[in-house]
């Protein structure tokens, strides 16, 4: 094993530097860890909560000063505990793992973000802005208070001459409806060279169908229960792909062959269950 690979796989204990409340249920947790600070957009960490569990989390912020962050949505025991961890408390991290998003030659990108799916798309928008790409972000959530990274997306899109379209299901802010409905209009009315997406799997499936219909390349980040995070245990399998190793970001050609996409996922015991 080469030195860089050894560092990636070695669990590292770090301390929480600060927590930033992002939405009503999502908090970003900042910490110092050199390897995490070099993660590509879309890569993830296996985050250890001492005495409890180890769970996959996208790297949601990176910085040249060696710090990084994850943005945690409270959905169960591990995420609730992580959310309420305090500044100075330890967490463990290993990684970054997996294949992230890649920039393409095309100039105009459409980002479609659903709920906590914005976590890997925030750093992607940072990268697109830095590289001077023109992009639109459709950012959706059930209610206004759950729109993740709205200001960050706005700032980045403005830098690149792009725009952000907020979408809420109750219509209290931005367009009323679903992010996929707004993405459909964007793809019909404005030409895009690439679509990037992450969010609930029904949304991802709809965006995939739209991208294929409009012959636009797409990259989507998928979620599955992960145990090892390094391709050994098989808990994250979708069709013949390991989400932790061949993903979590997959291209349209691969996604369209996945029969389990938006159909089944494995539960904690490894049994396929309907989505
Ligand atoms: C590559 C990757 C990146 C992720 N990035 C983030 C992130 O940036 N922010 C974030 O909040 N969450 C992220 N997740 C999801 C996160 O890992 C799960 O929400 C977490 O493991 C749930 O643990 P828990 O103990 O809180 O909930 P549990 O009690 O284990 O589960 C609560 C519910 O969530 C479902 N669930 C559990 N694990 C997963 C999973 N991995 N994917 C989908 N559903 C799951 C369960 O089936 C159950 O319905 C990511 C997952 C993957 C695979
Ligand atoms: S989490 Fe073990 S193979 Fe992917």
């Amino acid at each position: 094993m080469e030195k860089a690979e050894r560092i990636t796989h070695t669990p590292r204990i770090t301390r929480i530097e600060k927590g930033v409340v992002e939405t009503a249920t999502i908090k970003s947790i900042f910490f110092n860890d050199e390897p995490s600070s070099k993660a590509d957009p879309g890569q993830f960490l296996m985050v250890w909560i001492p005495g409890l569990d180890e769970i996959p989390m996208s790297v949601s912020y990176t910085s040249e000063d060696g710090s990084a962050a994850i943005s945690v949505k409270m959905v169960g025991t591990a995420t609730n505990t992580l959310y309420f961890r305090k500044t100075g408390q330890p967490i463990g991290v290993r990684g970054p793992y997996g294949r992230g998003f890649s920039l393409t030659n095309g100039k105009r990108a459409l980002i479609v973000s659903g709920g906590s799916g914005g976590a890997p798309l925030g750093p992607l928008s940072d990268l697109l802005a830095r590289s001077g790409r023109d992009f639109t972000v459709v950012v959706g959530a059930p209610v206004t208070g759950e729109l993740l990274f709205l200001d960050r997306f706005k700032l980045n899109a403005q830098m690149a001459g792009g725009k952000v379209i907020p979408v809420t299901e109750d219509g209290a802010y931005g367009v009323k409806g679903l992010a996929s409905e707004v993405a459909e209009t964007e793809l019909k009315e404005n030409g895009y060279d690439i679509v990037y997406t992450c969010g609930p799997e029904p949304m991802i499936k709809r965006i995939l169908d739209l991208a294929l219909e409009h012959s636009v390349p797409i990259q989507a980040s998928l979620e599955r229960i992960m145990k090892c995070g390094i391709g050994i245990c098989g808990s994250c399998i979708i069709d013949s792909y390991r989400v932790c190793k061949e993903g979590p970001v997959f291209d349209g050609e691969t996604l369209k062959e996945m029969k389990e996409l938006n159909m089944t996922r494995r539960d904690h015991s490894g049994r396929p269950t309907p989505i």
Side-chain angles (χ1 to χ4, degrees):
M1 199 187 282
E2 301 210 349
K3 192 178 169 211
E5 211 184 332
R6 219 169 38 238
I7 292 169
T8 302
H9 290 309
T10 306
R12 304 169 302 272
I13 304 294
T14 178
R15 288 191 184 272
I16 296 172
E17 293 283 314
K18 64 172 176 180
V20 173
V21 173
E22 303 275 9
T23 76
T25 59
I26 303 175
K27 191 193 262 182
S28 291
I29 293 174
F30 288 78
F31 52 88
N32 277 313
D33 180 58
E34 197 70 32
S36 305
S37 76
K38 294 191 167 60
D40 295 330
Q43 283 195 299
F44 68 94
L45 302 170
M46 291 303 292
V47 178
W48 177 57
I49 306 131
L52 187 65
D53 204 352
E54 194 190 35
I55 57 170
M57 284 281 138
S58 304
V59 179
S60 59
Y61 290 91
T62 56
S63 167
E64 283 174 5
D65 68 4
S67 66
I70 51 172
S71 299
V72 184
K73 181 178 171 74
M74 291 188 280
V75 297
T77 315
T79 46
N80 284 356
T81 307
L82 201 47
Y83 185 98
F84 289 108
R85 290 234 106 187
K86 296 197 168 38
T87 301
Q89 286 192 302
I91 53 169
V93 291
R94 56 187 175 92
Y97 293 127
R99 292 192 186 163
F101 293 104
S102 53
L103 296 193
T104 58
N105 290 333
K107 283 222 169 330
R108 297 202 71 215
L110 177 65
I111 296 180
V112 187
S113 170
S116 60
L121 297 171
L124 175 71
S125 75
D126 296 344
L127 180 64
L128 287 169
R130 277 201 306 273
S131 66
R133 304 284 212 289
D134 171 11
F135 62 96
T136 296
V137 186
V138 176
V139 51
V143 295
T144 315
E146 286 296 349
L147 288 165
L148 181 61
F149 297 154
L150 189 57
D151 291 341
R152 180 181 185 182
F153 284 139
K154 279 184 183 166
L155 203 71
N156 281 334
Q158 274 162 15
M159 267 169 69
K163 62 179 177 186
V164 175
I165 309 172
V167 188
T168 50
E169 285 172 35
D170 65 359
Y173 185 75
V175 181
K176 184 178 189 330
L178 298 174
S180 54
E181 292 163 355
V182 176
E184 181 170 8
T185 311
E186 280 299 306
L187 283 166
K188 261 188 207 147
E189 294 178 359
N190 301 304
Y192 287 97
D193 301 307
I194 175 83
V195 180
Y196 298 105
T197 188
C198 185
E201 210 152 296
M203 183 198 92
I204 291 183
K205 176 69 170 74
R206 180 70 189 130
I207 304 295
L208 170 67
D209 292 344
L210 288 169
L212 294 173
E213 193 183 310
H214 291 272
S215 305
V216 182
I218 177 169
Q219 296 177 22
S221 181
L222 301 184
E223 279 189 16
R224 284 294 180 272
I225 285 173
M226 289 182 179
K227 291 178 183 166
C228 69
I230 53 171
I232 297 169
C233 72
S235 74
C236 67
I237 276 177
I238 175 164
D239 289 70
S240 57
Y241 300 97
R242 294 163 300 177
V243 174
C244 68
K245 198 78 182 165
E246 283 82 44
V249 176
F250 293 94
D251 63 19
E253 291 306 304
T254 312
L255 290 162
K256 76 177 184 195
E257 300 302 329
M258 290 178 178
K259 293 189 179 55
E260 289 183 58
L261 185 69
N262 197 31
M263 296 299 288
T264 52
R265 67 184 339 145
R266 274 154 217 279
D267 63 16
H268 284 287
S269 64
R271 239 177 266 120
T273 49
I275 286 183

